[in-house]
Amino acid sequence: MSDDEPDLELLALLRQHLQGKLTLNEEPETGVLEGAEYVYDNSIDVSIDMRSCKNAAAAIYAQMQQKAYSPATWASHELHPDRRAIGDEGAVAFIFVMDLLNFSFWSERSEAERFAVEYRGKRWTGYWSLVAALQRALDEGIPITDSHFWQDEEECTLDVLRHVFRSCTNEEMPLLAERLACLREAGQVLYEKYQCHAVNLVEAANGSAAGLVNLLARDFKCFRDEHRFQGRREPVRILKRAQILVADLWACFEGEDYGEFRDIDKITMFADYRVPQILRTLGCISYSPPLETAIQRKQNLAQGGSWEMQLRACSIWCVELLRREIVKKHPGTHINAILLDFFLYDTIKEMEKAGTESVPHHRTRSIWY
């Protein structure tokens, strides 16, 4: 080709770029925040009170400053993995299985009768019962964080899981069969794509938090927390457990090594049943009379139904508004949705322990949260 002849391929690329059809060096996006905003814009049963959000943002910021809340707060908990004790790869493996199984701990029973785990002289419920059970299993020589173990149908059975997650009460851990299915699937995917090790999955994301979330959602059905909402062409992505896995890595490693992500602030709040509860308590969100009645009566809400989707998506958008308000009022402060979620979750759990909960959480039995 002579210097006078146009490069048709280059011209086509430039034309696509100018028309918005091509983005060079495009960074991964999860689409979670976009979907949450869409649901909020079309929500009729869950609303956000902007004045209450402003007041709550001020109170939350003050309390977080007072408590010096940071990623180190996560790592300081006695049950969370200590990477200095078990090694970096051991910590990644622990976090992977922890968030693989991080769902559905609520109970209809009283605090004294609900599923609970006794470990190191303490009684643990909710999410902490899972973490305590995993630590107890490792102490007993059960390789619960090893994907080879999950694939072994003779060694990793439902009865073995019943032992691993045995309760100090008469209530069994919910959805045990579903948890076993998650382990089986994850073990197979890690074998086929990541040489049986979760660290290879993390490394495949090339330091992108959004990239790791997308890999989890693409390769593991049990992490693909996305659902249809009111005729939207694309599913609304919530991706609670995929996002919290990334956040836990970031917190455990304090933003370094396997927890170093250049785009960690793309992670949103983790839509479960506890954070909507505290947002409702703070007056940040409110419900239509039918939904309010259903929650107060502790009725089970259909998984993937309109009410449940509005609760989860509007909570994501609400926490994003809280984050923006804090950044607006305190420009020099770096705060992301992860820290807000951790703080809000810890707050409602403290209220539960103290018996000061003023509103119940919604009930949906699901593997997604």
Side-chain angles (χ1 to χ4, degrees):
M1 181 179 70
S2 70
D3 293 339
D4 296 331
E5 294 177 349
D7 187 331
L8 298 180
E9 184 177 355
L10 177 59
L11 286 173
L13 287 171
L14 288 171
R15 188 176 295 111
Q16 287 180 342
H17 178 65
L18 291 172
Q19 291 174 347
K21 296 180 180 179
L22 177 69
T23 302
L24 301 179
N25 300 319
E26 184 175 358
E27 282 286 294
E29 300 288 343
T30 68
V32 173
L33 199 60
E34 177 187 359
E37 184 179 16
Y38 174 87
V39 175
Y40 168 70
D41 288 341
N42 293 275
S43 177
I44 59 175
D45 293 291
V46 180
S47 61
I48 297 176
D49 185 291
M50 299 305 175
R51 183 182 298 274
S52 293
C53 282
K54 289 179 180 292
N55 294 335
I60 290 167
Y61 177 77
Q63 291 177 46
M64 292 180 76
Q65 290 295 109
Q66 182 181 0
K67 295 181 178 181
Y69 214 81
S70 73
T73 307
W74 185 100
S76 67
H77 195 281
E78 63 184 286
L79 288 182
H80 276 151
D82 181 355
R83 62 191 178 98
R84 285 165 285 275
I86 63 176
D88 288 356
E89 292 192 10
V92 172
F94 190 99
I95 289 170
F96 183 87
V97 71
M98 180 177 77
D99 288 319
L100 178 67
L101 305 179
N102 184 1
F103 55 83
S104 199
F105 304 109
W106 59 270
S107 173
E108 301 283 5
R109 302 189 185 186
S110 68
E111 189 65 20
E113 297 175 325
R114 67 179 296 185
F115 169 78
V117 169
E118 284 187 353
Y119 180 63
R120 293 181 181 172
K122 293 184 180 180
R123 186 176 183 273
W124 305 95
T125 61
Y127 159 75
W128 294 115
S129 67
L130 167 70
V131 190
L134 294 175
Q135 294 283 16
R136 183 178 63 185
L138 292 176
D139 290 351
E140 295 174 347
I142 301 171
I144 193 63
T145 61
D146 188 340
S147 67
H148 296 90
F149 174 68
W150 311 337
Q151 294 181 78
D152 191 328
E153 296 186 9
E154 293 184 359
E155 293 293 326
C156 185
T157 65
L158 194 57
D159 284 340
V160 168
L161 282 196
R162 286 195 178 95
H163 173 75
V164 168
F165 298 113
R166 65 190 180 276
S167 176
C168 59
T169 72
N170 290 328
E171 183 177 34
E172 185 177 80
M173 175 180 266
L175 303 182
L176 265 180
E178 287 80 358
R179 294 178 203 276
L180 178 58
C182 287
L183 290 170
R184 288 271 195 269
E185 185 210 336
Q188 187 65 26
V189 174
L190 288 177
Y191 169 75
E192 293 176 351
K193 295 180 178 290
Y194 300 104
Q195 297 77 52
C196 298
H197 295 291
V199 291
N200 295 328
L201 166 65
V202 177
E203 290 174 346
N206 297 316
S208 170
L212 182 50
V213 169
N214 290 340
L215 285 177
L216 287 163
R218 184 194 72 186
D219 293 342
F220 301 83
K221 289 181 181 179
C222 59
F223 277 110
R224 201 173 302 153
D225 180 12
E226 51 187 37
H227 316 278
R228 296 288 176 181
F229 181 78
Q230 293 186 1
R232 187 175 189 252
R233 179 176 298 180
E234 298 295 329
V236 173
R237 309 188 90 199
I238 303 291
L239 302 179
K240 183 262 186 179
R241 290 190 294 107
Q243 290 201 103
I244 203 170
L245 192 157
V246 175
D248 285 346
L249 287 171
W250 174 70
C252 177
F253 289 89
E254 298 186 42
E256 299 178 349
D257 302 315
Y258 290 114
E260 183 177 358
F261 299 103
R262 61 182 176 274
D263 55 351
I264 191 64
D265 291 345
K266 289 181 179 178
I267 302 301
T268 72
M269 159 267 192
F270 320 116
D272 62 356
Y273 52 89
R274 284 301 191 179
V275 176
Q277 182 186 19
I278 186 64
L279 293 175
R280 178 71 181 90
T281 301
L282 294 170
C284 295
I285 61 175
S286 59
Y287 308 142
S288 67
L291 177 55
E292 182 77 49
T293 299
I295 293 175
Q296 289 291 341
R297 291 179 177 175
K298 300 183 180 181
Q299 297 177 9
N300 287 340
L301 306 187
Q303 189 273 308
S306 178
W307 278 354
E308 190 224 18
M309 288 296 293
Q310 289 177 67
L311 282 164
R312 299 183 75 200
C314 289
S315 295
I316 292 173
W317 188 244
C318 184
V319 171
E320 173 63 15
L321 295 179
L322 291 173
R323 187 197 66 80
R324 292 180 185 184
E325 178 66 17
I326 292 173
V327 171
K328 178 182 175 182
K329 295 295 184 182
H330 308 278
T333 298
H334 176 255
I335 190 167
N336 57 29
I338 297 172
L339 288 176
L340 284 173
D341 182 286
F342 286 170
F343 177 81
L344 291 168
Y345 179 86
D346 288 347
T347 300
I348 193 62
K349 291 298 288 183
E350 289 170 4
M351 293 174 68
E352 178 191 37
K353 186 176 181 180
T356 58
E357 293 173 289
S358 58
V359 297
H361 62 76
H362 75 275
R363 263 77 170 164
T364 298
R365 190 66 76 187
S366 164
I367 72 165
W368 305 120
Y369 61 100

